[in-house]
Amino acid sequence: MRNVTIVEAPSVLGLRPTGVEDLPAALLGAGLAEGLGAGHAGRVEPPPYDPERDPATGILNPDGIAAYSVALADAVGEVLDEGRFPVVLGGDCSVLLGNLLALRRRDRHGLLFLDGHTDFYQPSAEPAGEVASMELALATGRGPRVLADLEGRGPLVRDEDVVALGFRDAEESAAYGMQSLPTALHALELDTVRALGAAESARRAVRLLTGDGVGAGYWIHLDVDVLDDAIMPAVDYRQPDGLTWQELETVLRTALSGGGAVGLTVAIFNPRLDPDGSIAQSLGDCLVRAFDSQG
């Protein structure tokens, strides 16, 4: 098993304080750290939440997210510099920016983006101004400079170094007027994953993420709404269908094999929608099995 260290990142600055901030406590309470044999690098607390959209950028908490991204990048960077594998427990998907900033400070890396949504909104199309619906666009350098050019290092990841796998929101995002995914970004929507099979889809993703120029490795971002709504209803934005537990485990196991992965985010799970803790347990077990397969 990899030398895992957990970083708690309970920020909901890119969403709303509906319960997603309790994700780290729920997964740790379900035994994730013990199952992974993981160390603990502490908790990065977010600044206060502001419910009003910023008039200049049209998004929620831009300055708070920028500051939080720097703080999270510092914490993740320390774990990386110790030669350990950070598992960052969000929070909402805006925490991806801090994780990628840590990598961008060091080298060129790729991103395996596992999400039921593409999260490529521009502020004018995002109904609530939530960065958790636009973090992939921001990470690739699109959007307000305060977040799209953190520390003057934007984009944090190049289009061609991203594989988005498992999304199923094309109709919804088109209806809202979301900007199109760039042609250089590798898109494997849910129907494609089903046609290829989870294992082959993951192998294809890994090949793309370990090609020319991306030799430093790749980050895995897991938004749990990539899972089937029937087994993962504990999310704030639900939609039908999605990956099974076995499919997710297969994708993660494949992505974690071979040494290319350098870190992992888990985001969006809302424990308040899991009153008996059974979904947290299933999620933790899935993660442990995926890591266990690394020997």
Side-chain angles (χ1 to χ4, degrees):
M1 185 177 287
R2 290 172 180 267
N3 198 8
V4 173
T5 294
I6 288 172
V7 179
E8 296 183 55
S11 174
V12 289
L13 294 172
L15 191 64
R16 301 179 311 282
T18 61
V20 172
E21 61 271 31
D22 299 330
L23 183 158
L27 288 184
L28 292 173
L32 180 63
E34 292 82 0
L36 296 177
H40 191 267
R43 182 178 172 96
V44 183
E45 295 290 353
Y49 185 91
D50 185 348
E52 299 297 324
R53 291 177 79 154
D54 173 60
T57 62
I59 61 179
L60 292 167
N61 301 291
D63 294 327
I65 293 172
Y68 190 76
S69 297
V70 170
L72 181 57
D74 291 344
V76 171
E78 290 182 10
V79 175
L80 293 168
D81 290 344
E82 292 170 358
R84 299 177 66 87
F85 187 96
V87 170
V88 178
L89 303 180
D92 70 60
C93 286
S94 67
V95 303
L96 175 64
L97 299 176
N99 299 327
L100 293 182
L101 178 59
L103 300 184
R104 183 69 181 86
R105 289 171 176 175
R106 287 156 175 80
D107 209 333
R108 176 181 171 184
H109 291 78
L111 171 65
L112 177 57
F113 189 81
L114 307 177
D115 198 314
H117 305 84
T118 43
D119 290 354
F120 215 76
Y121 281 84
Q122 66 276 32
S124 61
E126 212 297 314
E130 295 172 350
V131 169
S133 295
M134 58 183 88
E135 81 280 357
L136 185 55
L138 292 164
T140 58
R142 296 169 174 87
R145 186 174 179 181
V146 63
L147 294 178
D149 191 26
L150 291 167
E151 297 184 340
R153 300 178 188 271
L156 299 178
V157 63
R158 305 183 192 192
D159 294 347
E160 63 268 28
D161 295 344
V162 178
V163 176
L165 188 152
F167 61 92
R168 57 190 192 278
D169 68 329
E171 183 176 336
E172 176 188 9
S173 60
Y176 278 113
M178 188 191 79
Q179 62 195 329
S180 299
L181 293 177
T183 56
L185 189 150
H186 307 286
L188 296 172
E189 62 185 334
L190 180 62
D191 288 346
T192 302
V193 173
R194 288 277 161 72
L196 294 173
E200 176 54 31
S201 298
R203 287 192 292 267
R204 184 170 297 192
V206 169
R207 287 195 296 270
L208 291 167
L209 292 169
T210 53
D212 293 340
V214 203
Y218 51 88
W219 190 272
I220 303 170
H221 175 75
L222 171 61
D223 177 336
V224 301
D225 71 20
V226 77
L227 284 158
D228 194 317
D229 183 70
I231 60 173
M232 180 50 74
V235 296
D236 290 301
Y237 290 113
R238 298 173 64 174
Q239 55 179 335
D241 208 358
L243 299 180
T244 66
W245 288 118
Q246 184 57 60
E247 287 172 328
L248 177 59
E249 182 184 333
T250 296
V251 169
L252 290 174
R253 185 189 316 118
T254 304
L256 289 164
S257 66
V262 297
L264 168 72
T265 315
V266 184
I268 293 298
F269 171 63
N270 187 339
R272 295 184 195 174
L273 303 176
D274 176 32
D276 67 358
S278 60
I279 303 175
Q281 191 66 58
S282 295
L283 177 58
D285 290 347
C286 178
L287 293 168
V288 170
R289 288 194 302 270
F291 275 91
D292 273 344
S293 66
Q294 308 312 303

